[in-house]
């Protein structure tokens, strides 16, 4: 790898404490190996999980922390044993950058379920150095955890797919829900939810958006192409929709009752949890038993599924609805995201931003 073998400094925007305020931070990238790739970051999506992490909502935050796990960049150097990528490739990096490679999930190509996985940021790499994310000039990543961005797909469009896109695609694929003609529900219309509508529609599903208010009805039906829109507090409409859905993708990231949504599922229907929630969820067991229903969860997707999903989105013309911002706007963007004031994903133009103070 030559020049990459030495330590190098980079600049990112980091949180220093649970206030979650980001500001410029200079640090050195981790030690490198023969299968590592040096990436110049072009852009990075902003995910609700970034807020949980920078504000220590889950009680495990390490500071200084450079967030960002929907990273698209350009390969600028490769290690001596890198076979998948060459200098100049446009590539993506998602939520994890390491795994043990020996456990059952790793050997089954579902490395996202490895108990020793290494997160893109707010974690420690094998050399003891903290991992830092994509709100930075550059990253060093093992080739296993990098995917090529398909030709013809813009960097800004690819970024949200690396988390929000594959998070929806993976359970639909794993649970046998890719065939056309299914009836699906998308609960919550944020970054993940809007990708859920688009990917499910591209698979040929009849899609119902379920929301707590009527304010996103026009966007769901006219802009995203959903077939129906249900307001969860409208008990009459909810009762009319009972036993009508094959699955519900639940993207709500705060505590909420499950029973109203379980009632919407058909026999053998699946409620797939995707929101990161640090309080217990409740339901009465007959809601599940009497329809042989399943409450399950899914976590991002494998590297193989990420590649499949990118190809699927390119083939079907699936795009994200994004708002591109510069890094100096990131704190305002995070505030707006927390207030659900974005349609539907922020993407930071990292390469076009001034990162230094």
């Amino acid at each position: 790898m030559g020049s990459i073998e030495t330590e190098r400094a980079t600049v990112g925007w980091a949180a220093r404490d649970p206030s979650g305020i980001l500001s410029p931070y200079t640090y050195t990238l981790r030690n490198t190996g023969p299968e590592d790739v040096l990436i110049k970051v072009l852009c990075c999506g902003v995910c609700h999980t970034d807020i949980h992490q920078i504000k220590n909502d889950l009680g495990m935050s390490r500071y200084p922390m450079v967030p960002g796990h929907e990273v698209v960049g350009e390969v600028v150097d490769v290690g001596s044993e890198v076979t998948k990528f060459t200098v100049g490739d446009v590539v993506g990096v998602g939520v994890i950058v390491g795994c043990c490679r020996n456990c059952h999930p790793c050997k089954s190509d579902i490395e996202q379920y490895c108990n020793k996985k290494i997160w893109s940021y707010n974690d420690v790499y094998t050399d003891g150095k903290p991992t830092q994310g994509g709100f930075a000039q550059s990253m060093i990543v093992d080739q296993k955890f990098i995917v090529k961005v398909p030709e013809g797909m813009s960097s800004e469009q690819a970024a949200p797919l690396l988390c929000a896109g594959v998070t929806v695609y993976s359970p639909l694929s794993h649970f046998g829900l890719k065939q056309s003609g299914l009836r699906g529900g998308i609960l919550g219309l944020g970054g993940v939810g809007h990708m859920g509508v688009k990917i499910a529609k591209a698979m040929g599903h009849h899609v119902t958006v379920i929301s707590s208010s009527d304010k996103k009805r026009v966007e769901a039906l006219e802009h995203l192409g959903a077939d129906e829109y249900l307001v969860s507090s409208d008990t009459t409409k909810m009762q009319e929709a009972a036993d009508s859905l094959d699955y519900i993708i639940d993207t709500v990231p705060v505590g909420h009752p499950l029973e109203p949504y379980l009632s919407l599922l058909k026999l053998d229907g699946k409620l797939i949890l995707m929101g990161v929630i640090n309080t217990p969820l409740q339901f009465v067991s007959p809601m599940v038993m009497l329809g042989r229903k399943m409450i399950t969860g899914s976590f991002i997707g494998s590297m193989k599924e990420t590649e499949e999903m990118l190809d699927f989105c390119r083939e079907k013309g699936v795009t994200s609805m994004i708002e591109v911002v510069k890094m100096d706007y990131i704190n305002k963007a995070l505030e707006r995201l927390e207030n659900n004031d974005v349609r539907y994903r922020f993407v930071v133009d990292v390469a076009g931003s001034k990162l230094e103070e």
Side-chain angles (χ1 to χ4, degrees):
M1 191 174 275
S3 61
I4 198 174
E5 299 284 355
T6 59
E7 276 199 347
R8 63 178 71 217
T10 194
V11 179
W13 276 49
R16 268 63 170 205
D17 55 53
S19 71
I21 301 297
L22 304 185
S23 59
Y25 170 59
T26 300
Y27 57 100
T28 55
L29 296 171
R30 66 169 177 80
N31 296 334
T32 59
E35 292 197 35
D36 285 328
V37 177
L38 175 63
I39 297 168
K40 173 192 174 185
V41 178
L42 299 175
C43 62
C44 186
V46 184
C47 178
H48 208 281
T49 301
D50 296 326
I51 296 173
H52 286 308
Q53 296 287 10
I54 60 177
K55 294 200 169 185
N56 198 27
D57 289 346
L58 304 178
M60 298 179 290
S61 296
R62 312 158 186 253
Y63 302 100
M65 181 200 305
V66 178
H69 61 246
E70 299 179 343
V71 189
V72 176
E74 180 183 341
V75 174
V76 295
D77 203 354
V78 297
S80 57
E81 294 179 19
V82 171
T83 56
K84 294 171 65 179
F85 306 100
T86 58
V87 172
D89 285 347
V90 177
V91 297
V93 179
V95 179
I96 60 173
V97 295
C99 64
C100 78
R101 302 180 189 240
N102 295 314
C103 66
H104 173 68
C106 285
K107 290 182 176 179
S108 303
D109 289 329
I110 47 172
E111 59 285 326
Q112 73 271 32
Y113 297 111
C114 172
N115 287 330
K116 296 180 180 178
K117 60 183 166 287
I118 300 173
W119 306 94
S120 299
Y121 67 89
N122 194 33
D123 207 346
V124 177
Y125 205 71
T126 51
D127 64 358
K129 209 170 186 68
T131 61
Q132 302 288 12
F135 292 178
Q137 289 173 337
S138 52
M139 293 177 73
I140 291 174
V141 184
D142 186 299
Q143 68 171 345
K144 177 177 173 61
F145 298 93
I146 302 173
V147 292
K148 277 189 181 175
V149 173
E151 284 188 29
M153 182 179 285
S154 74
S155 300
E156 293 84 1
Q157 280 295 333
L161 299 177
L162 298 168
C163 174
V166 74
T167 293
V168 172
Y169 182 90
S170 176
L172 293 177
S173 178
H174 173 73
F175 291 113
L177 299 169
K178 287 171 69 176
Q179 70 268 32
S180 63
L182 295 179
R183 298 178 69 90
I186 306 294
L187 176 56
L189 198 58
V192 175
H194 104 283
M195 286 311 308
V197 175
K198 290 192 159 226
I199 288 176
K201 284 299 296 180
M203 289 178 175
H205 297 180
H206 179 285
V207 177
T208 299
V209 169
I210 311 159
S211 189
S212 59
S213 75
D214 214 39
K215 66 181 182 181
K216 294 183 181 178
R217 180 183 294 272
V218 172
E219 293 170 38
L221 298 176
E222 296 183 13
H223 300 168
L224 297 177
D227 299 286
E228 292 186 39
Y229 189 94
L230 263 180
V231 178
S232 54
S233 58
D234 187 336
T235 52
T236 301
K237 293 292 186 184
M238 290 286 282
Q239 287 171 1
E240 289 174 1
D243 302 315
S244 67
L245 301 178
D246 294 291
Y247 67 86
I248 295 173
I249 291 175
D250 182 348
T251 72
V252 177
V254 294
H256 57 286
L258 298 185
E259 287 159 12
Y261 311 110
L262 288 169
S263 69
L264 299 176
L265 293 172
K266 295 179 183 177
L267 176 68
D268 291 326
K270 297 171 178 64
L271 177 66
I272 305 166
L273 299 175
M274 296 195 169
V276 177
I277 304 169
N278 59 4
T279 55
L281 298 177
Q282 291 184 319
F283 62 94
V284 293
S285 60
M287 294 294 298
V288 174
M289 296 162 52
L290 296 177
R292 202 165 59 188
K293 298 172 185 179
M294 178 189 293
I295 299 173
T296 186
S298 180
F299 175 63
I300 52 168
S302 65
M303 300 314 298
K304 182 180 177 184
E305 286 170 328
T306 304
E307 291 173 343
E308 283 179 16
M309 176 274 308
L310 287 171
D311 288 339
F312 174 84
C313 289
R314 178 190 57 183
E315 178 191 336
K316 299 289 187 179
V318 175
T319 57
S320 318
M321 289 180 68
I322 59 174
E323 182 176 335
V324 179
V325 299
K326 302 291 189 186
M327 190 65 80
D328 60 9
Y329 190 78
I330 188 60
N331 290 307
K332 180 65 176 177
L334 289 163
E335 181 185 322
R336 284 179 54 196
L337 175 59
E338 199 163 19
N339 293 326
N340 199 24
D341 177 26
V342 58
R343 300 295 180 268
Y344 280 93
R345 206 66 156 181
F346 284 115
V347 176
V348 181
D349 173 11
V350 178
S353 298
K354 181 178 183 294
L355 300 188
E356 300 88 347
E357 286 182 285

